[in-house]
Amino acid sequence: NKMRLGTLRQAITLAYLEDQVNISQIEHPIVIIGDGYGLMASLIFQSFSQIKSKIVLINLTQNLLIDAFYIYESLTDINMALVKDEEQYNQALNSDEVQFILIQADNSKLISKSNIGIAINICSMQEMNPQIIQEYFDQLRNSKDGNTLFYCANRVEKTLPDGTMVS
């Protein structure tokens, strides 16, 4: 079996984050924006058996379903919660049974209602319009404790199908 380039990129990123910020020791939620096949979420969960934090995935609805499917297929004995409001989000954060919290992109503002240990975005903000990118940055800045780390790796610039230049 060959390793896909995307898988290698995620594994190297995870090793870097563990080296730089001890991601395995972060107690507040690890928020992954636009994971893509649930790969980073699965790697984090598998790599750190005693992970202390919840893993929160934010994605477009169809992509979030794909993330959930692949996480479910690649891991055993896990529970996920799809949350749509602040009450559900808080319940999932406080549940000992839930490891993964799924949030549809339209509800992404929920993340600013609690602490965020680290947010991760790899190669998906380059697919968003500048206004949406700004909203994510604002949500991260406005997280409850204000000490959110953010790892973001995207292209320097990209022209979207509608002609919008993202940089």
Side-chain angles (χ1 to χ4, degrees):
N1 289 339
K2 288 184 181 180
M3 181 181 282
R4 291 179 40 246
L5 180 59
T7 305
L8 179 60
R9 177 178 42 240
Q10 303 293 52
I12 290 170
T13 298
L14 183 55
Y16 173 78
L17 290 173
E18 180 60 15
D19 183 61
Q20 295 297 308
V21 298
N22 293 323
I23 194 169
S24 61
Q25 300 304 309
I26 291 176
E27 294 185 20
H28 296 304
I30 297 171
V31 175
I32 305 170
I33 302 166
D35 194 4
Y37 300 101
L39 185 55
M40 180 59 84
S42 296
L43 282 171
I44 290 170
F45 192 80
Q46 284 181 318
S47 298
F48 309 115
S49 60
Q50 300 300 318
I51 192 159
K52 299 175 181 183
S53 61
K54 305 284 182 183
I55 299 173
V56 178
L57 291 100
I58 301 173
N59 215 331
L60 299 171
T61 301
Q62 288 180 315
N63 296 2
L64 190 61
L65 179 60
I66 293 167
D67 289 341
F69 174 79
Y70 280 99
I71 290 168
Y72 184 77
E73 286 293 306
S74 66
L75 302 173
T76 56
D77 298 323
I78 55 130
N79 290 306
M80 297 181 216
L82 173 64
V83 300
K84 295 185 179 214
D85 60 36
E86 190 173 350
E87 181 180 344
Q88 291 176 352
Y89 186 53
N90 286 330
Q91 286 174 350
L93 285 173
N94 293 316
S95 171
D96 291 336
E97 302 297 315
V98 174
Q99 295 87 18
F100 296 90
I101 301 172
L102 310 173
I103 300 176
Q104 294 164 294
D106 290 344
N107 296 325
S108 65
K109 63 186 174 299
L110 291 174
I111 62 170
S112 65
K113 305 294 184 187
S114 70
N115 297 327
I116 300 170
I118 187 169
I120 301 169
N121 177 265
I122 302 172
C123 299
S124 71
M125 283 194 168
Q126 64 198 24
E127 307 298 327
M128 300 176 195
N129 286 317
Q131 175 189 351
I132 301 297
I133 296 169
Q134 185 62 49
E135 288 175 16
Y136 276 112
F137 273 79
D138 290 345
Q139 291 163 7
L140 296 173
R141 284 186 192 104
N142 294 326
S143 68
K144 192 173 179 184
D145 71 353
N147 291 319
T148 300
L149 300 172
F150 184 33
Y151 178 84
C152 184
N154 289 275
R155 293 181 186 181
V156 173
E157 65 181 27
K158 181 177 180 179
T159 303
L160 299 178
D162 68 0
T164 303
M165 175 61 78
V166 179
S167 58

